[in-house]
Amino acid sequence: MSIEEQTIKEYAVSYLLTAAECGPEQRMTPSLMVNRLIDVATLHANYLGIGYARLQADGLAWVLSRVSLEMKRWPSVGEEYALRTWVEGCNRLFSQRNMEITSVESGEVLGYARTIWMAIDIKRRVAGEIPSLDTLAQVVVEDRPCPIAPTPRLREPKGDDMHDTAYTFRYTDLDFNRHVNTVRYLELLIDQWPLAWYDSHSLVRLDMAFLHEALYPQSVTVTTATDADNPMRFTQQITGPDGPCMRAAFTWRPDEYHPVCD
Amino acid sequence: MSIEEQTIKEYAVSYLLTAAECGPEQRMTPSLMVNRLIDVATLHANYLGIGYARLQADGLAWVLSRVSLEMKRWPSVGEEYALRTWVEGCNRLFSQRNMEITSVESGEVLGYARTIWMAIDIKRRVAGEIPSLDTLAQVVVEDRPCPIAPTPRLREPKGDDMHDTAYTFRYTDLDFNRHVNTVRYLELLIDQWPLAWYDSHSLVRLDMAFLHEALYPQSVTVTTATDADNPMRFTQQITGPDGPCMRAAFTWRPDEYHPVCD
């Protein structure tokens, strides 16, 4: 990783996609991209002095509430890509942060992301008020709209082809906060499609809304259904003992996989 | 990550352990450490011109055959740690590469690793001969023994308390080579112990031997048994439709977990 550019209002980091990081289609995986979105948001917040360390002093932690990601093309093996982030808005409870993803050599825009962050009270496990709101307000970029639609209202999956699978959270699904990691939820959603689907489709858009934390060793149900209006859009829900943990939508396009090397 | 030192015979990289990378005990996870061992070996091989790109020209790829890791202490959140690697020996079929893991600020040795690498023929999925053996031979370090014991002969788990669990490999378990990723095997082994065990024990030594690749969507059995001579040592085997995929041994010590922040 290398720091491309740092200003108060915009923070950019570039990364090289190694073979070890690729999925079986020899390109970037959605879970690595969501990891990178979190990384660049964290680095910018740290740079502004409102990162995890600052929030921890008040017994708070940043948590991701919503993510939407739209990709024209996924980075391929050996490609250098950059993530550029800026804050679109904030209030006492939410901070909206956008990202632009580009290919470093050509400058080609590969995609965009929208994220919404909350502060949670670490002990009470409830939403807290974002501290240093004046710092955040100063860095809001008003004249740079993000070209992708905001996260839509995600509804419970319903329909004739709805199917459920069961999963029990394991030790390696847990993170620093001793709850299930954002990226492990995403992998659980990704695994609802077989390898053959990935070899013949590209993920165009991903929406996720986090509703309730899941803990070890809870068992959950993953429900997937095709959207009634769009056979390439699927809605998903992970439901635990206390109700829905998260909802998501995956939108695909047909895209034949051609191995880079075989 | 930053490159600490590059010589032909020794290559060192340092990393900062972020909160996002920690497990629930707020320290480095064994799976991240094995990832780092692979990273530093890859970087050194690339630096010597015998990396993945060189082998690919001959239709070969580096694969890990054996790993042994012994840790006095695992890096904790916010700690900077370094991995230093050197080649202990090589022949037509195997290259032996060791690593020393230190804490950057104090220089404290945290642990050591031994790895054994093979070249596989990508199309035929069998062992190949390592090319550029003269380059490897030139960098062998003869006067720096690795202080941990070599990987022992790992036997099939046996005993009164032997237990089996089933697992079916999923899409996200696959890597660039379209087979199950080393780190996913390790996570499957790690998940055989509950959270409470990790809160009261530290992993002291890890041994893994890879015997046969596993493919999607194979179902496997994970067998775990206590060593007859040592109640803190457990042997494991992952068995697929074509026989054992890998064998492992985990050795623990009691170690109460004290949260850094709660």
Side-chain angles (χ1 to χ4, degrees):
Chain A
M1 135 185 160
S2 69
I3 308 300
E4 287 260 304
E5 203 178 321
Q6 303 168 11
T7 68
I8 285 178
K9 294 203 169 188
E10 201 175 83
Y11 196 97
V13 185
S14 68
Y15 303 88
L16 176 78
L17 185 69
T18 66
E21 292 170 332
C22 288
E25 284 74 36
Q26 307 185 342
R27 61 186 175 198
M28 192 167 179
T29 62
S31 33
L32 180 60
M33 184 60 87
V34 170
N35 243 324
R36 295 298 189 221
L37 300 179
I38 297 171
D39 285 348
V40 71
T42 302
L43 288 166
H44 191 199
N46 289 347
Y47 180 72
L48 295 171
I50 51 164
Y52 287 92
R54 167 67 189 85
L55 264 68
Q56 204 179 292
D58 290 334
L60 299 169
W62 282 117
V63 290
L64 205 45
S65 169
R66 280 178 220 161
V67 184
S68 289
L69 170 68
E70 213 168 295
M71 296 300 290
K72 288 173 190 150
R73 176 170 79 71
W74 292 85
S76 54
V77 62
E79 188 168 4
E80 203 184 344
Y81 61 97
L83 271 72
R84 189 172 302 273
T85 186
W86 70 97
V87 176
E88 181 181 298
C90 59
N91 60 33
R92 285 190 310 120
L93 293 177
F94 295 104
S95 158
Q96 289 170 265
R97 178 182 277 291
N98 302 328
M99 287 92 174
E100 182 190 68
I101 303 137
T102 54
S103 179
V104 170
E105 206 189 336
S106 65
E108 177 193 355
V109 175
L110 302 178
Y112 289 95
R114 287 177 172 273
T115 59
I116 294 182
W117 296 79
M118 290 171 60
I120 55 154
D121 183 302
I122 300 169
K123 286 229 163 115
R124 293 169 53 228
R125 313 305 270 188
V126 292
E129 284 196 24
I130 296 173
S132 310
L133 199 58
D134 48 335
T135 306
L136 257 178
Q138 274 170 31
V139 301
V140 167
V141 176
E142 283 175 354
D143 56 352
R144 190 178 182 191
C146 185
I148 67 166
T151 310
R153 192 184 169 88
L154 296 170
R155 296 176 195 279
E156 212 175 324
K158 280 208 167 65
D160 294 343
D161 72 336
M162 192 168 77
H163 67 92
D164 285 348
T165 58
Y167 185 78
T168 301
F169 288 114
R170 306 176 300 170
Y171 176 77
T172 58
D173 297 324
L174 302 179
D175 66 12
F176 188 86
N177 293 314
R178 298 175 78 82
H179 61 197
V180 175
N181 186 343
T182 304
V183 172
R184 290 312 186 111
Y185 282 120
L186 176 56
E187 289 183 336
L188 196 44
L189 302 177
I190 286 172
D191 282 326
Q192 302 310 308
W193 285 272
L195 177 61
W197 179 269
Y198 285 90
D199 284 347
S200 55
H201 294 82
S202 262
L203 185 61
V204 171
R205 181 172 169 117
L206 165 68
D207 296 291
M208 293 195 287
F210 298 96
L211 307 172
H212 197 285
E213 66 179 353
L215 301 172
Y216 176 93
Q218 289 176 343
S219 291
V220 292
T221 302
V222 187
T223 307
T224 307
T226 317
D227 190 312
D229 302 323
N230 179 356
M232 283 288 121
R233 184 172 186 270
F234 294 78
T235 50
Q236 295 187 294
Q237 180 170 299
I238 299 179
T239 312
D242 306 318
C245 302
M246 71 166 307
R247 288 189 181 140
F250 277 51
T251 311
W252 304 86
R253 69 157 180 262
D255 184 13
E256 209 57 47
Y257 154 64
H258 298 288
V260 178
C261 18
D262 59 5
Chain B
M1 134 186 160
S2 69
I3 309 299
E4 288 259 305
E5 203 178 321
Q6 304 168 9
T7 69
I8 284 177
K9 295 202 169 189
E10 200 175 85
Y11 197 96
V13 185
S14 67
Y15 303 88
L16 175 77
L17 185 69
T18 67
E21 291 171 333
C22 288
E25 284 75 38
Q26 308 187 339
R27 62 187 174 198
M28 193 165 178
T29 62
S31 33
L32 180 60
M33 184 60 88
V34 170
N35 243 323
R36 296 298 189 221
L37 301 178
I38 297 170
D39 285 348
V40 72
T42 302
L43 288 166
H44 192 199
N46 290 346
Y47 180 73
L48 295 171
I50 52 162
Y52 287 92
R54 167 69 190 83
L55 265 69
Q56 204 179 291
D58 289 335
L60 299 169
W62 282 117
V63 290
L64 205 45
S65 170
R66 279 179 221 162
V67 184
S68 289
L69 171 68
E70 213 169 295
M71 296 299 290
K72 288 172 190 150
R73 175 170 78 72
W74 292 85
S76 55
V77 60
E79 188 167 4
E80 204 184 344
Y81 60 97
L83 270 73
R84 189 172 303 272
T85 185
W86 70 98
V87 176
E88 182 181 296
C90 58
N91 61 32
R92 284 189 313 117
L93 293 177
F94 295 103
S95 158
Q96 289 171 264
R97 179 182 275 291
N98 302 328
M99 287 91 175
E100 181 190 70
I101 303 138
T102 55
S103 180
V104 171
E105 206 189 338
S106 64
E108 177 193 352
V109 175
L110 302 179
Y112 289 95
R114 287 177 172 274
T115 59
I116 293 181
W117 296 79
M118 290 172 59
I120 55 156
D121 184 302
I122 299 169
K123 286 229 163 114
R124 293 169 53 228
R125 313 305 271 186
V126 294
E129 284 197 25
I130 296 174
S132 310
L133 200 58
D134 48 335
T135 306
L136 256 179
Q138 274 171 31
V139 301
V140 167
V141 176
E142 283 174 354
D143 57 352
R144 189 179 182 190
C146 184
I148 67 167
T151 309
R153 192 184 168 86
L154 296 169
R155 296 176 195 279
E156 212 177 325
K158 280 208 166 65
D160 295 342
D161 73 335
M162 192 169 77
H163 67 92
D164 285 349
T165 59
Y167 184 79
T168 301
F169 288 116
R170 305 177 300 169
Y171 175 78
T172 58
D173 296 324
L174 302 178
D175 65 14
F176 188 87
N177 293 315
R178 297 176 78 84
H179 62 195
V180 175
N181 184 345
T182 305
V183 171
R184 290 311 186 112
Y185 283 120
L186 176 55
E187 289 183 337
L188 195 44
L189 302 177
I190 286 172
D191 282 326
Q192 303 308 309
W193 286 272
L195 177 61
W197 179 271
Y198 284 91
D199 285 347
S200 55
H201 294 82
S202 262
L203 186 61
V204 170
R205 182 172 168 116
L206 165 68
D207 295 291
M208 294 194 287
F210 299 96
L211 307 172
H212 196 286
E213 66 179 353
L215 301 171
Y216 175 93
Q218 289 176 342
S219 290
V220 292
T221 302
V222 188
T223 307
T224 307
T226 317
D227 189 312
D229 301 322
N230 179 357
M232 284 286 121
R233 185 173 186 270
F234 295 78
T235 51
Q236 295 187 294
Q237 180 171 299
I238 299 178
T239 313
D242 306 319
C245 303
M246 71 166 307
R247 287 187 182 141
F250 278 52
T251 311
W252 304 86
R253 70 157 179 261
D255 184 12
E256 208 57 47
Y257 154 64
H258 297 288
V260 179
C261 16
D262 59 4

